[in-house]
Amino acid sequence: LQLLSMNQIVDRFIQSAEFEDTLRSKFPNVVMDMTLDPELLLVNASYMHVEKALTGLLWFAHTQVGESGRITVSTSNVFIHKHNSEDHEIPPGEYTVLSVEDNGDPLDQNVIEHLFEPFFIKKVLGKSGTGLELCVVWNTVQDHQGYIHARSGNRGNRLAMYLPAVRMSLEESCLVVDEIKGDGEHILVVDEDRSQGKIACDILHGLGYKAWSAANGHDAVNLMKLKGADVVVFDLAPAAEDMTDPVAERQDRPGAVAAKRMETFRLIKRMYPGQKIITTVTGELNQKESRLIQDLGAKSFVKKPYTVLDMGIAIKEELEK
């Protein structure tokens, strides 16, 4: 696996002899549009497998529109929230999405449910080819811990691959050198959003640290006792101004969530007075909020969403203090 831009994979394939031979020459009247996000995040993936998946998606779209029609290839960055109605089957997290849309005949829902099964498109839909084209897409997505989403409507069909995004630019990937890499130091990530905790740990593992995540105070304290931590990365989102709220009577109040978070923060500081802590925050902090965080004993903070470089520098600086 390597850090890749799906924009580059799309661009190179569309200009390749393989695309010309397998699709363009057979469907000369099909119009191809591309909408590629210039700020697209990278993916940690196999170039060959993603290209094969793209081939399968494009092949299916061409067979849907027939001799003439329109196909749109798009890329985008998507953050899936817990209650996203359209992508409800996809776990929360940050994804890079590659989608192929066609204006062919819409598929029935019962067809969509079996679309990626081996030989289904050949035996049931009567498509030419091996019948494994979309099965390859499914396998690629599974191998990369991603997800596939298919939908159909009056305007046609859309098949989209969701692969976990890596918040690093190609330029930054070249800058992650020995100066910001770790040497097996222990990092504890405390974040109520488990998906965000996993993303942070993935970044830290890639930088050479040993990292664990905790979603609540109980787990955080247990991990501190069991493994210790050279640095704790503590999430103080959603708003620093909520930190001063007393423990709320109702657990569904925002202040209650903030109060529980701060209770964990203070407990760690009390049990480990010299503990190095970096906080992660969302949005811009005003002077009052910044002072409050420092008064609580956290001298460093990183704004979300952060890059690998942001976190790498912050950890290294904290370790060297």
Side-chain angles (χ1 to χ4, degrees), residues 25 56 79 81 90 96 131 136 165 188 194 200 215 260 272 275 314 320:
S25 61
F79 187 87
H81 297 276
I90 302 175
T96 298
V136 169
L188 173 63
R194 295 181 186 275
K260 288 177 64 178
Y272 305 92
Q275 179 63 55
E320 293 175 352

Side-chain angles (χ1 to χ4, degrees), residues 13 18 22-23 50-60 133 137:
F13 182 72
E18 181 181 357
T22 59
L23 294 173
V50 173
E51 185 181 64
K52 289 295 184 184
L54 172 62
T55 304
L57 292 174
L58 285 172
W59 172 86
F60 183 77
E133 288 81 3
V137 177

Side-chain angles (χ1 to χ4, degrees), residues 11 39 48 51 78 151 169 197-198 287-288 300:
D11 280 332
E39 303 296 326
M48 180 182 69
E51 185 181 64
V78 173
R151 75 173 185 218
S169 69
K198 182 180 183 304
Q287 188 175 9
K288 177 182 177 182
S300 303

Side-chain angles (χ1 to χ4, degrees), residues 134-146:
L134 293 186
C135 184
V136 169
V137 177
W138 174 267
N139 289 336
T140 297
V141 167
Q142 295 300 305
D143 289 344
H144 290 79
Q145 288 76 54

Side-chain angles (χ1 to χ4, degrees), residues 198-233:
K198 182 180 183 304
I199 289 172
C201 285
D202 288 344
I203 289 174
L204 293 166
H205 290 152
L207 288 172
Y209 296 103
K210 294 180 180 178
W212 299 270
S213 64
N216 55 61
H218 180 267
D219 290 347
V221 171
N222 283 343
L223 282 170
M224 287 290 291
K225 292 178 179 178
L226 182 65
K227 300 179 181 296
D230 296 293
V231 176
V232 174
V233 178

Side-chain angles (χ1 to χ4, degrees), residues 81-128:
H81 297 276
K82 293 181 180 179
H83 303 295
N84 187 310
S85 59
E86 178 182 333
D87 304 308
H88 64 280
E89 296 180 354
I90 302 175
E94 195 165 27
Y95 297 90
T96 298
V97 181
L98 170 61
S99 67
V100 177
E101 299 181 61
D102 66 71
N103 65 348
D105 293 335
L107 300 168
D108 293 334
Q109 184 58 39
N110 63 329
V111 170
I112 290 177
E113 292 174 358
H114 300 280
L115 201 56
F116 300 95
E117 296 176 3
F119 307 111
F120 178 82
I121 55 178
K122 185 178 182 69
K123 293 180 178 179
V124 179
L125 299 184
K127 301 286 187 183
S128 60

Side-chain angles (χ1 to χ4, degrees), residues 21-315:
D21 293 340
T22 59
L23 294 173
R24 176 62 71 191
S25 61
K26 297 178 180 178
F27 302 90
N29 297 321
V30 171
V31 177
M32 284 277 296
D33 296 322
M34 291 201 296
T35 307
L36 307 183
D37 187 344
E39 303 296 326
L40 193 68
L41 297 175
L42 302 182
V43 294
N44 192 30
S46 161
Y47 187 101
M48 180 182 69
H49 287 88
V50 173
E51 185 181 64
K52 289 295 184 184
L54 172 62
T55 304
L57 292 174
L58 285 172
W59 172 86
F60 183 77
H62 278 80
T63 62
Q64 280 297 107
V65 300
E67 294 184 0
S68 63
R70 184 176 293 272
I71 293 172
T72 302
V73 180
S74 303
T75 59
S76 61
N77 300 316
V78 173
F79 187 87
I80 302 296
H81 297 276
K82 293 181 180 179
H83 303 295
N84 187 310
S85 59
E86 178 182 333
D87 304 308
H88 64 280
E89 296 180 354
I90 302 175
E94 195 165 27
Y95 297 90
T96 298
V97 181
L98 170 61
S99 67
V100 177
E101 299 181 61
D102 66 71
N103 65 348
D105 293 335
L107 300 168
D108 293 334
Q109 184 58 39
N110 63 329
V111 170
I112 290 177
E113 292 174 358
H114 300 280
L115 201 56
F116 300 95
E117 296 176 3
F119 307 111
F120 178 82
I121 55 178
K122 185 178 182 69
K123 293 180 178 179
V124 179
L125 299 184
K127 301 286 187 183
S128 60
T130 65
L132 296 173
E133 288 81 3
L134 293 186
C135 184
V136 169
V137 177
W138 174 267
N139 289 336
T140 297
V141 167
Q142 295 300 305
D143 289 344
H144 290 79
Q145 288 76 54
Y147 300 88
I148 189 78
H149 184 267
R151 75 173 185 218
S152 187
N154 294 332
R155 296 183 178 181
N157 311 286
R158 177 180 183 265
L159 304 184
M161 292 196 309
Y162 289 68
L163 299 186
V166 177
R167 188 163 279 280
M168 177 192 285
S169 69
L170 287 172
E171 291 78 11
E172 286 176 336
S173 68
C174 298
L175 293 174
V176 181
V177 291
D178 292 341
E179 284 78 3
I180 66 167
K181 286 188 175 180
D183 189 26
E185 293 91 343
H186 289 198
I187 312 295
L188 173 63
V189 178
V190 184
D191 196 319
E192 291 176 357
D193 188 330
R194 295 181 186 275
S195 64
Q196 290 297 299
K198 182 180 183 304
I199 289 172
C201 285
D202 288 344
I203 289 174
L204 293 166
H205 290 152
L207 288 172
Y209 296 103
K210 294 180 180 178
W212 299 270
S213 64
N216 55 61
H218 180 267
D219 290 347
V221 171
N222 283 343
L223 282 170
M224 287 290 291
K225 292 178 179 178
L226 182 65
K227 300 179 181 296
D230 296 293
V231 176
V232 174
V233 178
F234 199 101
D235 180 54
L236 287 180
E241 62 190 27
D242 288 336
M243 297 175 201
T244 55
D245 282 7
V247 177
E249 295 179 1
R250 292 180 55 198
Q251 292 300 305
D252 58 348
R253 284 181 52 191
V257 176
K260 288 177 64 178
R261 186 181 297 118
M262 292 314 302
E263 182 181 347
T264 301
F265 185 93
R266 292 190 176 97
L267 178 60
I268 291 175
K269 291 295 292 183
R270 186 166 63 250
M271 294 177 64
Y272 305 92
Q275 179 63 55
K276 297 177 182 292
I277 296 181
I278 295 172
T279 57
T280 56
V281 297
T282 301
E284 297 291 336
L285 294 179
N286 59 39
Q287 188 175 9
K288 177 182 177 182
E289 292 169 337
S290 180
R291 187 181 301 114
L292 174 59
I293 289 176
Q294 294 188 34
D295 289 345
L296 289 169
K299 305 302 181 184
S300 303
F301 65 87
V302 178
K303 290 193 299 183
K304 285 184 172 182
Y306 48 77
T307 66
V308 173
L309 199 59
D310 292 334
M311 183 57 72
I313 291 174
I315 293 285

